[in-house]
Amino acid sequence: MAFQIVINLIIAIMWMFLGESYTTPSFIAGYLFGILILYLLRRLIPGKFYFSRVISIIKLVLLFIKELVLSNIAMIKYIYSPKQIAEPGVFALPLDVKSDWEITLLTSLISLTPGTLSVALSDDNSKLFIHAMNIDDVNESIYDIKNSFEKAIMEVTR
Amino acid sequence: MTETEILFHIIVNILIILSILIGSFLILSASIGIVRFPDIYTKLHAATKASTLGLAGVLIAAFMFLYIQHDIVSGKLLLAILFMFITNPVSAHMISRAAHKKGIKPVIKNRKDAYEQYKENIKTN
């Protein structure tokens, strides 16, 4: 990935020299042009095309914002309901992601999504204990976390 | 000013008002939630989620106001939002973990606490 970024920067600088204009816009134009060249030659260059990873990072950020808004709506429902409608509880989530960096990202995502708050991590990094606002739909939230968050994180890191 | 500029100003002002209102409403809700919920874990739910988006709303409103009134692009406000998104969930995790390690039990009706069971298993082995 680093190799591809270096090639992309070299193409951008070459574009500036060929155009004889040493300004920021021409650098950006060269950089975009470099992305196009890397995309067309992606079979000949070792490693995955790096810009697909940038796209998956953008997707992850958008997913995060969407979940944050949804969780606030759910939170307001819990706060202003006259009786306590929620039944809190703690459940364990088996983790597929392994490295520290991925787990940190996943816990932050979980803490800001509807009705879940990460409490602790087991010693061997295999289970995450989550406090849920409504324990009755635990299976649903496990399914959500497994399918949307872990998948999105793995797309970024692998 | 031309007509389109006036229209643009009005629209941005409406956006500023809306995001300040939503932001302060969310922060108010967070504080009500902290008072109303029964135990520390549910209180933390209210404190992290609602206040994160609420503060982000207020800061975005401040950013738009500075841009439209004084022509300042304030990067500090955007950085503040970014750091809040990074630090808020981490601090919530640390507080709840510390509380659980200290032995504060969450309010749970007729169900088992998974983390409590895990800790007991480790002790017995």
Side-chain angles (χ1 to χ4, degrees), chain B residues 88-102:
Chain B
N88 245 349
V90 175
S91 58
H93 177 82
M94 292 318 286
I95 293 171
S96 60
R97 182 161 164 270
H100 214 296
K101 290 237 155 126
K102 201 92 179 27

Side-chain angles (χ1 to χ4, degrees), chain B residues 5-119:
Chain B
E5 274 179 3
I6 292 172
L7 196 67
F8 178 70
H9 260 249
I10 290 172
I11 290 172
V12 173
N13 274 323
I14 289 171
L15 280 180
I16 291 171
I17 292 167
L18 271 182
S19 52
I20 283 193
L21 274 179
I22 292 173
S24 40
F25 172 71
L26 282 173
I27 295 172
L28 177 73
S29 312
S31 14
I32 292 174
I34 290 175
V35 176
R36 277 201 63 195
F37 284 149
D39 65 344
I40 182 167
Y41 304 99
T42 41
K43 279 175 208 274
L44 268 176
H45 271 275
T48 47
K49 283 170 200 140
S51 71
T52 308
L53 195 61
L55 265 171
V58 173
L59 289 174
I60 286 171
F63 177 80
M64 285 196 289
F65 177 79
L66 282 178
Y67 181 67
I68 207 83
Q69 294 288 335
H70 304 290
D71 280 336
I72 301 169
V73 179
S74 172
K76 270 181 254 173
L77 290 172
L78 297 182
L79 270 185
I81 295 172
L82 178 71
F83 282 120
M84 222 171 46
F85 277 131
I86 295 170
T87 53
N88 245 349
V90 175
S91 58
H93 177 82
M94 292 318 286
I95 293 171
S96 60
R97 182 161 164 270
H100 214 296
K101 290 237 155 126
K102 201 92 179 27
I104 300 168
K105 294 210 164 38
V107 177
I108 299 176
K109 287 176 225 150
N110 55 46
R111 245 172 239 271
K112 295 268 168 65
D113 182 342
Y115 188 43
E116 195 68 51
Q117 283 176 331
Y118 173 76
K119 280 199 289 192

Side-chain angles (χ1 to χ4, degrees), chain A residues 8-9 12-13 15-16 21-32:
Chain A
N8 204 343
L9 284 174
I13 291 166
W15 183 261
M16 268 162 63
S21 67
Y22 310 102
T23 54
T24 317
S26 76
F27 179 79
I28 292 170
Y31 198 85
L32 293 176

